Amino acid sequence: MDDLKYQVDLLNAMNRRLMDERKMLQLILDSSSSCYVYVNFKENMVRTLGSWSQYWDFEVKSVSDFEKIFDTVEDDYVMPFRDTVFLEKKGLELSGVQVRKKAGRMWIECEANVIYGRDRKPEEKVIRFRDVTKYNLQNEELTHLVYFDEISGLYNRNYFIRLLGDMIEKADGQGETVSVMFINIDNFRSINDSLGIIAGDEIVQHFGDLLKEFISDNVLVARFSGDIFCVAAYAPSGESSADRIFEGICERIGKPIPISGGQEVLLTVSAGIAEYPEAASSALDLVNCAEIVMFKNRNRGRNSMAYFSQDVLSDFLNNVQMENKLKDAIFSNNFMMYFQPQFRTVDGSLRGAEALIRWKDETGKFISPAEFIPIAEQSGTIVPLGTWIIAESIRNYVGWKDIMKEPIRLSLNISAIQYRQPDFVESLLKIISEYNMNPEELELEITESVLIGDYQEITRKLSLLRGYGIKISLDDFGTGYSSLSYLKNLPIDTLKIDKSFIDTVLTDENTQVIMETLMYMATKLNLETIAEGVETREQFEFMEAIDCTDIQGYYLAKPMPADEFVNVIKAGKSLLLMGDL
Ligand code: C2E
Ligand code: CA
Ligand code: CA
């Protein structure tokens, strides 16, 4: 009897435990965001569990009900989904797939698991469905950040280089070529400065959209940074050739781009093209070659494009070498200032001197400033070099003070990059006061390139300098845009007529008319005029006859070292003109 009671108690206890476990299982399933299907093959039984109704809006009562599930997903996923759900047909134990539902574009992860009997026949199967939409979207976003540029939606630099590497590998196998075009929007910085960063972003987006039209199986497009874009074309020919793509870009930017605020911007670009295998064999080198060509080409004018050549590369390498030599030279005292006298036309008296830098490299060879100043400007070395030029010239100038009967003018060439430094005026004034120089004896020669950019800031600085009595001379006048409105609005004292006019003034009637008109205007505006590069007596006489106030050139004197210039000061006049005037 006791035995029976014991057995009943035991059964009850087991039953309770079983019930508890069922409850627990149900609780877990109910609180799970996943849903499950249980299939028992032997009993031909199907049950759904968990959050089934959140995934599917039909019930599964028999195996054939499954067919409905395949209608709910996007077409591309039907086959792999079927393979996973009916994995036992392929004798698999485990299988998984991610599918996308048509409705709501929900991503579902599906995993199926089959248990086989000893006879290898399937006995039971569990299929689990899990919503992975959120996770996938986050992943997509991350992937996008890794591969794409946020503003333009184009590939970013890193990913482009990777894809270009694949392209080159393929081209290598198939004996094909690959063109890489490096593109830069002209004057983007000043667009950004004048219209603001938001407008700048709009322009980048617009330009990116326009480049997207060229994307194809064989054409990749990327934005590298700021205003720099890159295009790669596999087996370029016809529509996908670099020439045609460039033409297409220029056509599309021929129309002004509207930006918010009602303004319109007209863009131009510069491009450099390098081709595999001719220019380089790796993706990175190819892009670098295209970049070098673009930079070299950039100053040639708007919408210009050039192809890579070995000459471009050797020029570039020379420049790099020169840049390094320049940096060393600053430290090793290899620079010297020369001074070229300027004379008054009216009486041949000494007006002043233009300070011109000279560089003797370590082999003792003179390198022309026309060659190294542009490189110093590109690399930024011009800033410390320019400060040295100012200090060294002024040091020489004040050394002559004792022998000067009357003060003369010291003219310094100021590079646009140097002028744009925020502390330019301050640092100049500091040197002037250190050497105790009278600022009224100083003249700064600036070119029109100084005047490009933030016009207000530029003229503010000019007026500030003039407030101290420093004179401003517009160098190479006539070679740039030379808008005459400059002369009316700018605070300047002197026009320095470019040598190219002097070269042709005796032979070309147009030049003569321009010169005569200019001299007339300058007199009216109370500006001094100095002709540079006067090499002959005839040129001198012509300029004198049309009232050019000052003359500089080999005819009267060449640039010379400071100790020789002492003799010019002592004479106080042009020896050549002394007899005449
Ligand atoms: P620039 O400012 O136009 O200087 C005038 C150039 O013409 C100088 O060449 C001068 O030696 C040369 N020259 C003067 N008279 C004659 C002449 O009658 N015939 C000929 N054929 N040439 C004449 P340089 O010294 O070789 O300088 C070339 C350029 O390098 C300068 O052109 C200027 O742009 C730049 N540069 C020279 N020194 C400096 C400097 O100290 N600072 C800066 N920023 N640039 C400088
Ligand atoms: Ca000059
Ligand atoms: Ca000049």
Side-chain angles (χ1 to χ4, degrees):
M1 190 62 198
D2 279 354
D3 200 24
L4 191 66
K5 185 174 179 304
Y6 171 74
Q7 294 229 346
V8 170
D9 284 351
L10 194 67
L11 259 172
N12 276 340
M14 277 168 71
N15 220 349
R16 261 202 312 277
R17 229 176 97 189
L18 220 64
M19 293 289 280
D20 284 351
E21 280 188 1
R22 267 194 76 157
K23 257 167 81 183
M24 183 177 77
L25 205 66
Q26 195 61 47
L27 196 73
I28 291 171
L29 285 173
D30 286 350
S31 64
S32 161
S33 58
S34 301
C35 73
Y36 305 83
V37 175
Y38 171 78
V39 181
N40 189 314
F41 291 96
K42 272 195 208 150
E43 294 170 19
N44 202 14
M45 186 254 275
V46 179
R47 266 189 70 186
T48 59
L49 305 124
S51 315
W52 177 262
S53 59
Q54 283 178 27
Y55 286 75
W56 322 101
D57 58 3
F58 56 88
E59 284 181 34
V60 175
K61 296 232 168 69
S62 67
V63 175
S64 65
D65 286 340
F66 265 138
E67 289 302 322
K68 288 186 198 155
I69 232 173
F70 302 117
D71 294 337
T72 64
V73 301
E74 288 179 357
D75 291 349
D76 288 351
Y77 299 102
V78 174
M79 282 291 287
F81 193 22
R82 216 174 245 287
D83 287 349
T84 298
V85 169
F86 298 121
L87 75 170
E88 70 279 3
K89 291 189 177 157
K90 290 197 170 156
L92 297 173
E93 274 178 27
L94 255 175
S95 181
V97 70
Q98 280 199 6
V99 298
R100 192 157 196 172
K101 270 179 87 172
K102 286 178 192 159
R105 295 178 65 78
M106 178 197 219
W107 278 105
I108 296 173
E109 181 186 76
C110 165
E111 275 177 353
N113 189 358
V114 174
I115 294 167
Y116 292 91
R118 286 223 181 108
D119 52 3
R120 289 301 299 160
K121 282 204 174 128
E123 289 183 348
E124 288 169 294
K125 170 162 79 172
V126 176
I127 309 169
R128 180 177 68 112
F129 300 97
R130 194 160 72 98
D131 178 355
V132 289
T133 313
K134 216 158 117 188
Y135 174 80
N136 276 13
L137 285 183
Q138 271 170 0
N139 241 356
E140 248 174 52
E141 240 168 67
L142 282 176
T143 314
H144 203 86
L145 279 180
V146 173
Y147 298 125
F148 293 89
D149 162 57
E150 251 186 298
I151 296 178
S152 65
L154 296 168
Y155 289 135
N156 62 24
R157 185 176 190 279
N158 283 347
Y159 195 53
F160 178 86
I161 301 275
R162 221 165 89 186
L163 295 177
L164 178 60
D166 296 345
M167 235 188 206
I168 289 175
E169 215 176 287
K170 191 171 142 202
D172 185 36
Q174 303 190 337
E176 276 296 352
T177 55
V178 175
S179 283
V180 168
M181 176 156 55
F182 199 92
I183 310 165
N184 185 245
I185 301 177
D186 296 329
N187 300 322
F188 186 70
R189 227 186 85 186
S190 51
I191 295 176
N192 239 346
D193 285 350
S194 55
L195 299 176
I197 292 172
I198 294 175
D201 281 356
E202 279 181 49
I203 290 167
V204 165
Q205 262 164 11
H206 188 97
F207 191 69
D209 285 348
L210 167 166
L211 287 183
K212 278 181 197 154
E213 293 175 35
F214 297 94
I215 296 174
S216 71
D217 287 348
N218 285 340
V219 178
L220 303 172
V221 181
R223 175 177 178 238
F224 279 11
S225 65
D227 55 342
I228 290 174
F229 296 80
C230 211
V231 177
Y234 182 81
S237 72
E239 284 307 306
S240 73
S241 73
D243 287 310
R244 290 290 276 276
I245 293 177
F246 187 71
E247 260 173 44
I249 295 170
C250 293
E251 243 167 60
R252 285 167 176 78
I253 57 176
K255 294 186 285 278
I257 297 170
I259 50 169
S260 50
Q263 305 211 50
E264 285 190 331
V265 183
L266 198 58
L267 293 187
T268 61
V269 294
S270 303
I273 296 162
E275 289 192 325
Y276 168 86
E278 186 223 336
S281 56
S282 80
L284 212 56
D285 287 348
L286 203 57
V287 166
N288 286 341
C289 286
E291 179 175 4
I292 291 168
V293 186
M294 191 285 292
F295 271 106
K296 185 166 164 59
N297 179 42
R298 196 156 60 160
N299 301 326
R300 271 218 263 148
R302 279 103 210 270
N303 285 347
S304 65
M305 176 262 265
Y307 277 86
F308 175 85
S309 71
Q310 282 308 319
D311 288 350
V312 173
L313 186 64
S314 44
D315 269 8
F316 171 77
L317 294 175
N318 279 345
N319 282 4
V320 171
Q321 215 184 0
M322 171 105 70
E323 212 176 290
N324 290 333
K325 266 167 67 177
L326 258 175
K327 281 185 193 138
D328 291 344
I330 291 194
F331 291 107
S332 52
N333 258 335
N334 282 343
F335 292 108
M336 232 191 304
M337 291 316 295
Y338 268 40
F339 298 89
Q340 186 176 25
Q342 302 169 333
F343 297 97
R344 299 278 181 207
T345 323
V346 65
D347 59 0
S349 63
L350 183 64
R351 172 199 195 252
E354 175 177 9
L356 294 159
I357 191 165
R358 294 292 173 261
W359 175 21
K360 220 196 262 180
D361 78 358
E362 67 283 357
T363 63
K365 197 177 91 203
F366 272 105
I367 301 170
S368 161
E371 205 179 317
F372 71 81
I373 293 282
I375 294 169
E377 286 178 332
Q378 265 169 35
S379 62
T381 312
I382 192 69
V383 177
L385 184 60
T387 309
W388 179 86
I389 289 170
I390 295 173
E392 179 64 7
S393 307
I394 293 183
R395 187 184 69 80
N396 279 300
Y397 180 84
V398 296
W400 302 324
K401 269 274 153 191
D402 294 342
I403 51 167
M404 265 181 223
K405 291 180 205 86
E406 278 175 62
I408 59 167
R409 194 79 61 83
L410 174 66
S411 291
L412 300 179
N413 289 289
I414 304 296
S415 148
I417 289 147
Q418 195 184 354
Y419 183 81
R420 261 182 233 135
Q421 298 300 307
D423 62 348
F424 170 71
V425 178
E426 201 187 334
S427 112
L428 175 71
L429 292 174
K430 196 165 151 242
I431 300 172
I432 290 175
S433 82
E434 262 168 32
Y435 285 101
N436 208 6
M437 182 185 183
N438 178 357
E440 294 190 5
E441 289 159 26
L442 190 65
E443 181 172 67
L444 303 184
E445 293 191 10
I446 58 167
T447 57
E448 278 175 61
S449 58
V450 165
L451 308 173
I452 295 166
D454 184 348
Y455 191 78
Q456 276 187 341
E457 172 60 13
I458 291 157
T459 45
R460 189 190 66 82
K461 268 189 191 173
L462 283 182
S463 306
L464 186 66
L465 290 164
R466 282 181 100 226
Y468 287 95
I470 296 168
K471 309 285 181 296
I472 306 293
S473 172
L474 205 49
D475 202 359
D476 302 341
F477 188 77
T479 55
Y481 295 99
S482 292
S483 156
L484 292 178
S485 62
Y486 278 160
L487 304 184
K488 197 171 73 186
N489 302 326
L490 275 178
I492 49 172
D493 306 271
T494 310
L495 287 188
K496 198 154 185 194
I497 316 296
D498 191 66
K499 181 174 182 298
S500 55
F501 291 103
I502 311 303
D503 287 343
T504 54
V505 79
L506 297 177
T507 50
D508 182 46
E509 269 180 44
N510 286 339
T511 310
Q512 290 175 1
V513 174
I514 294 171
M515 285 298 106
E516 282 167 17
T517 319
L518 198 63
M519 291 308 137
Y520 174 79
M521 237 175 49
T523 315
K524 289 271 176 232
L525 291 169
N526 228 353
L527 296 171
E528 284 186 25
T529 45
I530 175 160
E532 71 176 334
V534 173
E535 290 180 343
T536 66
R537 184 177 182 90
E538 290 75 22
Q539 288 169 344
F540 173 84
E541 282 171 352
F542 187 93
M543 295 313 286
E544 183 191 24
I546 61 170
D547 295 333
C548 181
T549 59
D550 302 274
I551 303 287
Q552 175 183 346
Y554 291 177
Y555 172 58
L556 299 180
K558 286 196 170 179
M560 57 188 83
D563 51 2
E564 263 179 55
F565 195 78
V566 168
N567 298 325
V568 181
I569 296 174
K570 283 182 183 154
K573 269 182 186 288
S574 159
L575 299 178
L576 207 104
L577 299 175
M578 259 168 63
D580 299 349
L581 299 156

